[in-house]
Amino acid sequence: MKKLLVLVCFSLFLGTGCGANKTMTCTRTLNQNGMAIDLKYEVEYSGDKVKKVKSTEKVTSDSQAVLDTYKSTIESTYAPYKDIEYYDYNVTIDGDTLTSVADINYEKIDTDKMIEVDSANSQLIKNGKVSLEDLKSVYEAVGATCEK
């Protein structure tokens, strides 16, 4: 009976303890120049360090030319990261909506390569890690609202 109680307590600790992963979600929606833009950033973290980020950005427009231009711009932005393992992205257009999804696993990615690709990454990556508060500040600077 004592072993069962210890096992249950240990399981509860793992599920809710200080080592458990948590999620912060940052969002922003805006309408400008006939476009609807929906931004969502899901940040998995433990303690004060970011583990993974999934960003989903959607642009809705009646203009195919606008969507094509956005797609080209986003793909150019992501292109330097294409050979970095654990940095995955996909940009698609379906009807009147462009969707850009990027998944970054900061626990496994080579952060030195990210800094090589763009030295501005060194503002977020310190000693191979990304601080939750630093990332939150970046998202809030573009007008997103973040909730833990």
Side-chain angles (χ1 to χ4, degrees):
M1 184 70 169
K2 284 184 181 180
K3 287 182 183 179
L4 180 60
L5 182 58
V6 170
L7 185 60
V8 169
C9 289
F10 183 69
S11 297
L12 288 173
F13 174 75
L14 287 178
T16 60
C18 44
N21 292 341
K22 298 178 183 173
T23 302
M24 175 179 71
T25 302
C26 302
T27 58
R28 178 166 187 205
T29 303
L30 61 142
N31 292 298
Q32 65 181 33
N33 302 326
M35 293 183 301
I37 301 173
D38 183 26
L39 309 174
K40 182 177 182 181
Y41 307 102
E42 297 170 290
V43 181
E44 184 181 317
Y45 66 97
S46 181
D48 66 344
K49 298 299 179 203
V50 174
K51 297 170 84 67
K52 296 178 183 178
V53 174
K54 179 178 182 179
S55 71
T56 305
E57 302 171 336
K58 294 183 179 185
V59 177
T60 303
S61 173
D62 292 336
S63 169
Q64 187 64 43
V66 167
L67 296 175
D68 289 341
T69 299
Y70 267 89
K71 184 175 190 219
S72 176
T73 301
I74 293 168
E75 287 176 336
S76 294
T77 301
Y78 286 138
Y81 297 93
K82 72 179 170 127
D83 293 327
I84 298 179
E85 196 172 9
Y86 305 109
Y87 192 115
D88 300 310
Y89 65 91
N90 188 33
V91 184
T92 59
I93 296 176
D94 185 15
D96 64 352
T97 303
L98 173 142
T99 303
S100 168
V101 177
D103 285 302
I104 306 168
N105 184 333
Y106 284 105
E107 288 184 302
K108 296 182 179 181
I109 199 165
D110 185 338
T111 53
D112 291 334
K113 283 186 180 177
M114 288 184 69
I115 293 169
E116 284 177 27
V117 166
D118 186 348
S119 61
N121 287 324
S122 66
Q123 298 298 311
L124 277 181
I125 301 168
K126 296 176 179 114
N127 297 319
K129 305 287 182 195
V130 176
S131 158
L132 180 65
E133 287 306 312
D134 288 349
L135 190 59
K136 181 180 177 188
S137 294
V138 169
Y139 293 145
E140 289 176 339
V142 296
T145 302
C146 297
E147 295 181 11
K148 294 181 187 178

